[in-house]
Amino acid sequence: MSWNIESSKLNKSDLLTNESLFFLGNGYLGVRGNFEEGYPEDYKSIRGTYINAFHDKVDIEYGEKLHGFPDTQEKLLNIMDAQSVQIWVDDERFSLFEGELLDYQRNLWMNQGYSERTVHWRSPQGKEVNISFKRLVSFVKREVFVQEITIEPIKDVSRISIYSELESDVSNFVDPDDPRVASGHAKRLSAEDIYEKNGCHVTGAETLETRMSVCCVSKTFSDKENHTYESNIEGTTAQETYIFDGEEKVTFTKRNVYMDSLRYGKNLEEKAIQLQEEVKSYTFNDFLKEQIQYLEDFWATSDILIEGDDDLQQGIRFNMYHLLQSVGKDPKSNIAAKGLSGEGYEGHYFWDTEIYMFPFFLMTNPEIAKNLLLHRYSLLDSARQRAKEIGHTRGALFPWRTITGGESSAFFPAGTAQYHINGDIAYSYIQYYMVSGDEDFFKKEMAEVLFETSRLWLEVGHFHEGQFRIDSVTGPDEYTCIVNNNYYTNVMAKNNLLWAGKVYDHLKSEDPQRLSELMSDLDADEEEIGKWQEAAEKMFLPYNEALKINEQDDTFLQKGKWDLDATPKDKYPLLLNYHPLLLYRYQVCKQADTVLAHFLLEDFSDQETIENSYNYYEAVTTHDSSLSFCVFSIMASKLDQKEKAYDYFSKTSRLDLDNLHGNTKDGLHMANMGGTWMGIVYGFAGLRVKESNVHFSPYLPEQWGSLEFNIRYRGRLINLKLTKGKVVYTLVEGKPVDIFHHGAEVTLESGIPVEKDTKV
Amino acid sequence: MSWNIESSKLNKSDLLTNESLFFLGNGYLGVRGNFEEGYPEDYKSIRGTYINAFHDKVDIEYGEKLHGFPDTQEKLLNIMDAQSVQIWVDDERFSLFEGELLDYQRNLWMNQGYSERTVHWRSPQGKEVNISFKRLVSFVKREVFVQEITIEPIKDVSRISIYSELESDVSNFVDPDDPRVASGHAKRLSAEDIYEKNGCHVTGAETLETRMSVCCVSKTFSDKENHTYESNIEGTTAQETYIFDGEEKVTFTKRNVYMDSLRYGKNLEEKAIQLQEEVKSYTFNDFLKEQIQYLEDFWATSDILIEGDDDLQQGIRFNMYHLLQSVGKDPKSNIAAKGLSGEGYEGHYFWDTEIYMFPFFLMTNPEIAKNLLLHRYSLLDSARQRAKEIGHTRGALFPWRTITGGESSAFFPAGTAQYHINGDIAYSYIQYYMVSGDEDFFKKEMAEVLFETSRLWLEVGHFHEGQFRIDSVTGPDEYTCIVNNNYYTNVMAKNNLLWAGKVYDHLKSEDPQRLSELMSDLDADEEEIGKWQEAAEKMFLPYNEALKINEQDDTFLQKGKWDLDATPKDKYPLLLNYHPLLLYRYQVCKQADTVLAHFLLEDFSDQETIENSYNYYEAVTTHDSSLSFCVFSIMASKLDQKEKAYDYFSKTSRLDLDNLHGNTKDGLHMANMGGTWMGIVYGFAGLRVKESNVHFSPYLPEQWGSLEFNIRYRGRLINLKLTKGKVVYTLVEGKPVDIFHHGAEVTLESGIPVEKDTKV
């Protein structure tokens, strides 16, 4: 079972959640797991098809708008719907919610990249059919979403009809009561007429404000000839009708091609019709074959094997699979907080990418990781512009949430105020360089991004009594906003500034021409670079002598403690039940903040401080954010709190599968999915990438029989297999390499396994 | 000139400003100084008539709405317009912007309570007339707005026609680009049909959401008989037409009666027609006589006489007069931030009332002052409700801006976070008690308000290391939001809590029955009261040893200093040019904060701290808020910085007359108007009300020949006359009383002037 996700009960309350869990995508296109045949009228469904980064701009309303608040927000759009296929058995319309379900099974196959529903249905009048619905969004031909429906008459059936639809009248989902979901601006796509061409149905649409266009070209065909066929277009709906008389099994294939102007420019419809033409001989299985090949390659490197816990094995694969389905693979896109699985957070890219999802790609699929960095790099000009809007005189301030670079956060205390996004992006660039050794990238994009973010830290912070201090920012913990000297922010800034200095020194000795070009482009001088180094050295990192912990910010420890035990369960998440001011007033954290900093930059604290901090903050953290469990799991591993590590890990690995946050319907928690992978690789296996090398401090959770996975590092592929008390490192690809095992250097040579003892 | 405000030039750029300056009102009804005859189409005018507290509720939109953010906002409405009267000279329509102005004069008579425009006009065709427009909003019959228009043919005039209008199709003014002005929801009044009854034009209207109603009954008549008359109703406009042939001078009187359901309940139209009937014999002069009598009484007590500076004399009277025009005199209303002079800040009541306007009424018209307190008391239940919405378990949190008690602030960092409103209200109750000695009020309303606000401080703050600390609030300075231990907030809370204890002790000994009733009503016990006292004693009041100043908050002094000198003039006010986060990051104040606390509660600091603090904060304050100058003037007086005191004072006294903030068009800065009075009485005369007595430390600004004013204190009327180096105290009314002059006790006996030396 660990290669598939299965649902064998039809439960009304799970329908919405399953739409997210069974979504299919390829990083470009995403289709929610809605039912082809539709739902009864009173059932809620979020029917959605999305193209990564395909968005409109909508106005942000403010009761009171201050300077620098963004006027508009980018918003991922739901596009034309090609999922629908009505099925009629004689004169009864097939519905899972009428008649009788004699058998029902739904599967998502993560090694083959398709989903399937099989149904044995008895109609209200007692007729019986078996129906199978397969669907696939191709990793190889990213524009293609293909469906296959097989209908097998079982009892008393004399006619099978299908109505395969293309619907251009679509809207986004709205929920005015949940701040995590959009509350308006549902209708932002202006649909053009549907028409028929080359035997396909074609429809285009344009966004109201950004004037981006999208088209879909759909064609349904069957494997049998003895049918009547009709093509109808009425209003916003095109229908292909097939009617079969007889008792034979019949299979329909519906091929839908989606293209958008962001990648395909003009004449989209022609191009999409052309692609339909190119794949006109492709059956579902032809697409499937390509898909399986693609996924074999993916899993060969990326899979994590766990012996001893099928549920977790399934959860982990599920999470990695959805990361793959959601990550943008072209320079126009990134990974949205909900991937391509739903509309939560409006399809925006957050720091989630750099801190929670990037590591998985970095260590398994570095070319995807690099693309994520290049996408951020493409936003650099917007970030410079944003810094100016705020009132800064130089540097770049990356938007807290965005698609193409415009700040889309409408609530600055937990949005724009999170300046740490700059440090997070710098961190991901540095990590990439340490893992890849990519000198060209280092000199070009990385140098520029590190310089521009460094200058911004000098704009934000200031020297005071021998320290460099950063005031009025918000750290990762959104229950404590607008504070001074947030430890996380300051230490990330320090790292950012230190590395800008390293880049400077390196360029000065290795490529002075590039350096002088860069300095001149940015109008920077040596004095400024000197200030960065001074700021890095003097960066104030709050520390409490009595508790021997890093303080979350200047005043966190002076606040009262929230009584978590006395808070009724239904008052969580707290942000939905208390005014933010009330939350700000307490030592209560939505998520890991200082603890996260200790994970990312452990060398700026000592082990005692890290341990004390972990224990302190754990007691005041609600984990109301899905970005929290994984960090606590990783750090529990580091601190040998193995039971806790395992417990937190379990919660990350099945957070969506078990709908632990109650809002999986709005989309999957992608950052947490990345966090699961990190819980294993950074947590149990203790991976840390340092400037000179890669380090492991592995142990096997006692609940498991073994654990095996690969990482890529500087052109090598390294396999780790953990068993009780042992780890075997094997260099699968590449030249010999030194790694560190529990602090001791180990040389790996190709194909020669090296066995080491682990902590138990 | 000091009794009138004059404008003798017609300047397009001043038109909007003059609409505010020449507004007429009586605390119930307010009419902006718009021109009867209207404006050319391309002229901007904010035509407005308002009834204090007559409002609708409108939705507040948020890009991201969190728990406890108010859904709706109260909004003062512009109501039906009765100002308009078209005038035709033969076949030419009179307009100030066509033909030739041979003479033009506009006056607001502050001793008589009316305004007048006189015009000698030559029409484009060369005909000449003198026209006088008088208008009055009656202090005695508050529903009445009366106009008198006299037209005197001068040259070549053979026919005079007027069209006197009542217009029901009105909207509020909107400006989407200014956060200080409403940006939407202009049309909130649903007008009923206009009809004629009893020879009057009648129209009613209802608000869309609050379902409040208002009506206006208008009647125009002339002093001559030889005319043709017509009454027309077309759409939303009713017109009375008078046409006179001949060369005689003719006078028209237009009587408009406004009533609203908040005060008059149902059948408004009948009641208003009835009132028209009652005053049907009243000419303009009859209303004027009553008005003059009313104002004689007002000025007899309230006037301030300055010898030696006519401009300031005028400015001061102007400010007091507008305070009188704007203050609500019934329990349904308070004073809006812009009074009844415009729509800025949506007609909301802020802390401006308690801290800036209340003192004037308290010391001159205590019955009006008491009404303001009773109005706040009427909001106590809403405030309890609001505390619950935030997540507090008990107590009351008064809304930052409101009309009938609903929090109408859409930006909590500079709204709801200003918990000091509770302390401000408590302060005004305490001041009232100290001045009036009103025991009944003390036991009932004051006790309840002080108890409920005290409990809230215990909800907001907490004990930490022997101190009581209040985290995550915003003080008066809105350039520094969401901070810990704002000195102003903490000291106001301390005062609030101390006085709750005094109330408790007093009731315990004097009226145990009331106490037990109150304790039972509030479900309070002695332990809780004990906590209030503990909190008061242990209240943390931030103090910096090095600078010997009170710190504005825990971390204010650690921040960087904004370079005010390097900031271009056009970047002020800063809030319109920089993102709030940027402002929060600096030592830069919009207005007096700690300095204000030192004024209000000087006994909690020593003189040295007060002086150092003044000098420190003065250097970092932009005075971008109109609430700032007056406080700096008062404190400069206290600190013997006389030149500064005078300089700041000058800016307060003519802030609107000279449009120093550039936005007088949206309404007058009422708090600053109260501040002018305070600048004299608390500043130059050094008034402080203390628990046992009233104190003066007077001096005469050297620019003046003399200064004279009265105050009411515990049933007495005391006159002060200052000349160079001298002050004469005279008890005008009431029993002998002890006062303090520069710290020394002085006994005043009726009618016996006591002369004392002053500082020079």
Side-chain angles (χ1 to χ4, degrees), chain A residues 186-205:
Chain A
K187 192 82 192 163
R188 301 294 304 182
L189 207 52
S190 161
E192 289 149 22
D193 283 347
I194 308 192
Y195 58 92
E196 194 182 321
K197 193 164 177 183
N198 267 25
C200 301
H201 282 143
V202 183
T203 184

Side-chain angles (χ1 to χ4, degrees), chain A residues 268-286:
Chain A
L268 295 180
E269 295 167 23
E270 271 175 45
K271 290 172 187 167
I273 291 167
Q274 172 63 28
L275 179 55
Q276 279 278 12
E277 192 62 29
E278 287 166 21
V279 297
K280 77 174 172 186
S281 65
Y282 273 58
T283 62
F284 185 87
N285 281 333
D286 294 323

Side-chain angles (χ1 to χ4, degrees), chain A residues 47-191:
Chain A
R47 202 167 189 86
T49 305
Y50 316 103
I51 287 177
N52 200 345
F54 184 82
H55 71 280
D56 201 17
K57 270 189 188 167
V58 301
D59 289 343
I60 304 180
E61 304 288 342
Y62 300 92
E64 206 172 320
K65 180 174 181 294
L66 300 192
H67 181 86
F69 287 13
D71 293 314
T72 59
Q73 180 178 58
E74 301 179 331
K75 182 184 173 73
L76 183 76
L77 294 193
N78 177 25
I79 56 174
M80 51 280 276
D81 180 39
Q83 295 188 59
S84 298
V85 183
Q86 286 181 37
I87 297 168
W88 290 71
V89 175
D90 294 326
D91 53 1
E92 290 179 285
R93 180 167 172 182
F94 165 68
S95 162
L96 290 176
F97 309 95
E98 282 179 42
E100 208 178 329
L101 272 189
L102 300 174
D103 192 32
Y104 175 76
Q105 190 78 18
R106 189 179 198 179
N107 278 290
L108 169 64
W109 294 99
M110 299 180 288
N111 52 346
Q112 301 184 68
Y114 77 100
S115 71
E116 183 173 16
R117 276 190 300 147
T118 56
V119 180
H120 182 179
W121 185 61
R122 182 184 289 147
S123 77
Q125 291 177 24
K127 301 176 179 191
E128 285 179 35
V129 284
N130 280 335
I131 311 180
S132 137
F133 299 87
K134 292 184 187 171
R135 41 164 70 191
L136 173 158
V137 173
S138 173
F139 283 109
V140 180
K141 299 191 171 60
R142 65 177 180 177
E143 307 86 352
V144 175
F145 162 46
V146 60
Q147 295 157 283
E148 184 188 88
I149 300 173
T150 302
I151 306 164
E152 181 186 10
I154 300 292
K155 189 177 159 207
D156 298 342
V157 179
S158 54
R159 196 175 67 251
I160 299 288
S161 325
I162 69 149
Y163 301 87
S164 176
E165 295 180 347
L166 176 62
E167 175 62 55
S168 67
D169 181 24
V170 293
S171 300
N172 276 58
F173 178 71
V174 292
D175 183 347
D177 293 328
D178 188 338
R180 300 166 299 183
V181 176
S183 59
H185 302 293
K187 192 82 192 163
R188 301 294 304 182
L189 207 52
S190 161

Side-chain angles (χ1 to χ4, degrees), chain A residues 61 63 65 67 179 390 392 419 460 462 469 471-472 484 554-555 558-560 576-577 579 582 584-585, chain B residues 61 63 65 67 179 390 392 419 460 462 469 471-472 484 554-555 558-560 576-577 579 582 584-585:
Chain A
E61 304 288 342
K65 180 174 181 294
H67 181 86
I390 299 287
H392 296 302
Y419 277 66
V460 184
H462 69 110
R469 304 171 64 90
D471 293 332
S472 300
N484 302 333
D554 271 4
T555 61
Q558 295 162 17
K559 295 181 178 176
L576 296 186
N577 294 286
H579 193 288
L582 205 79
Y584 298 171
R585 211 165 275 140
Chain B
E61 304 287 343
K65 181 175 181 292
H67 182 86
I390 299 287
H392 296 301
Y419 276 67
V460 184
H462 69 111
R469 305 172 64 90
D471 292 332
S472 299
N484 302 333
D554 271 5
T555 60
Q558 296 162 15
K559 294 181 179 176
L576 296 187
N577 295 287
H579 194 288
L582 204 79
Y584 297 171
R585 211 165 276 141

Side-chain angles (χ1 to χ4, degrees), chain B residues 533-724:
Chain B
Q533 292 323 292
E534 192 189 345
E537 279 158 29
K538 295 184 175 164
M539 183 67 70
F540 173 52
L541 299 178
Y543 178 77
N544 182 283
E545 292 288 349
L547 296 169
K548 298 192 191 309
I549 67 173
N550 287 120
E551 298 183 42
Q552 186 167 312
D553 59 64
D554 271 5
T555 60
F556 186 81
L557 297 182
Q558 296 162 15
K559 294 181 179 176
K561 280 193 188 175
W562 187 281
D563 190 345
L564 293 176
D565 295 332
T567 307
K569 275 204 170 164
D570 64 359
K571 294 290 188 186
Y572 292 96
L574 301 180
L575 82 155
L576 296 187
N577 295 287
Y578 299 92
H579 194 288
L581 270 176
L582 204 79
L583 299 173
Y584 297 171
R585 211 165 276 141
Y586 287 88
Q587 291 189 43
V588 60
C589 299
K590 189 178 172 197
Q591 64 203 94
D593 191 299
T594 307
V595 173
L596 175 58
H598 286 159
F599 160 48
L600 299 176
L601 294 168
E602 62 185 19
D603 294 339
F604 291 109
S605 278
D606 57 49
Q607 180 80 3
E608 186 193 11
T609 304
I610 290 176
E611 182 156 7
N612 291 337
S613 300
Y614 178 90
N615 293 330
Y616 190 88
Y617 291 109
E618 192 195 18
V620 297
T621 300
T622 62
H623 310 290
D624 282 346
S625 161
S626 66
L627 310 185
S628 196
F629 287 147
C630 62
V631 180
F632 276 88
S633 174
I634 293 166
M635 293 306 281
S637 281
K638 179 182 168 76
L639 299 168
D640 265 349
Q641 301 193 20
K642 292 180 185 163
E643 216 167 302
K644 264 188 192 161
Y646 192 79
D647 183 46
Y648 282 123
F649 173 77
S650 315
K651 288 173 181 165
T652 71
S653 65
R654 297 188 57 89
L655 187 144
D656 280 308
L657 276 177
D658 300 338
N659 196 14
L660 296 180
H661 274 243
N663 64 345
T664 291
K665 73 170 174 50
D666 300 318
L668 305 171
H669 297 79
M670 300 307 299
N672 171 72
M673 292 180 149
T676 305
W677 181 88
M678 291 201 291
I680 293 174
V681 176
Y682 291 84
F684 303 137
L687 170 72
R688 294 295 185 278
V689 177
K690 309 243 159 144
E691 197 168 351
S692 57
N693 225 310
V694 62
H695 294 243
F696 297 93
S697 306
Y699 74 97
L700 182 72
E702 64 176 18
Q703 291 83 347
W704 296 351
S706 70
L707 164 66
E708 184 177 354
F709 66 89
N710 301 310
I711 64 149
R712 293 199 175 275
Y713 176 73
R714 304 232 168 171
R716 283 83 167 183
L717 184 67
I718 302 170
N719 177 275
L720 273 78
K721 178 154 186 176
L722 281 135
T723 48
K724 202 167 187 72

